[in-house]
Structure formats: structure tokens, C-alpha cells
Amino acid sequence: MENREIDAFEEMRSQISILKEKLESENIINDRLIRKVMKFSFNRINRHAWTSIICSLLVILAAIFSFGKLGFSNYFRAFTVILMLICDYFTWKMHRNINRETMMKNLKQVTVIIRKLKEDYLGWMKYGIVIILFWGSWFCTECIVNAPAEDKTIGIIMSAGALAGLAIGAFVGLKMHRSVIRSCDEILGQIREE
């Protein structure tokens, strides 16, 4: 009788050991899947940051080389360059922790970093809208003021074109903004499921 109990006990111990191994391998697989989703989302987030920086550099080049030829004031040109550099700085600041090292941190640290990025993006939106409205108004004013005195329609047409470009830029910017927020939510959702 005692032998059967010992055998049953050994069999139970063996089964528990097998279950522990399976659970550990399952945790490893889950961690790998989470890291894979995080890598994809991190890449998407950083791609948007680089796109934003490249676009701002194009605006800086336009302000330096083209706006002067159109007769825009030096104040407006300087403001545009400084504004774009400030935007680039904040983009870099918000994204500086989104890298391979972050993906290797424990999931609590990743959660803190991603939540901070999401909060920064949501907060930046308030300032971005005000800045775009101010800059766009100033741009249109510069177009109209610098149009030939005999034909202000050119200034109005340039302003309309600028507003159309601004609307397209705002649309693309909002899409990128939503994509970053969605990527943050995907990462946080995956971590919560863990």
C-alpha cells in the first residue's frame, strides 16, 4: 500500500514539474510575442517622428531660400525657422526613449515610458493647433501684403493655396498623431494582457 502511495506521490511530483516547465515556456513565448508587437509599434512611432523632422527641415529650407524671394519679412522667416527647430527639439525629446533599450526593459518601465509619450502627444496637440492657426494667419497676411499693389488677387490666390496646403498638412499630421496614439495603446494593451 505504501509503495502505491509513494508511486502516486512521485507521479504527481513529476506531473507538477512538467506543468511548471510548460508554464515557464508559455511565459517565454508570451514575452516574445509582446516584444515583437512592441518592436513593430516602436518602429511605427519612430518612423512618424522621422517623417515629422524631415518635413520640418523642408519648411526650414523653404523659409531660408524661398520665402525671401516671395518678399516675406525677415521676422516671419526667422519665426518659421525657430518654430520648426523648437518642434524638432520636442519631437526628439518625446521620442528619445523609444528605442531598442526600452524594449528590453521590464514591462512596468515600458508602461511608464509609453504612457508618458502618449500624454506628451495629447498635450502637444493643444499647442500645435494654436501655433498652426497663428503661423497660417501670419503666412496668409504675408502673401497678401507682399502681392503686387496693382493685383492683390495674386496674394489671395497664394493665401488660398497656402490654406489648402495647411489643411493637407494638418490632415497628414493628425493621421500621424492618431497612429502614434494607437501604437501606444497597442503596446499598453499587450502589456495589460500579460
Side-chain angles (χ1 to χ4, degrees), residues 75-93:
Y75 293 117
F76 178 73
R77 293 169 61 200
F79 177 79
T80 300
V81 170
I82 292 168
L83 176 65
M84 291 297 108
L85 291 174
I86 289 170
C87 290
D88 286 345
Y89 168 74
F90 280 107
T91 299
W92 169 80
K93 188 177 176 190

Side-chain angles (χ1 to χ4, degrees), residues 38-49:
M38 282 175 24
K39 182 180 179 185
F40 177 76
S41 296
F42 277 26
N43 287 340
R44 185 183 325 146
I45 289 168
N46 283 329
R47 192 171 41 249
H48 290 312

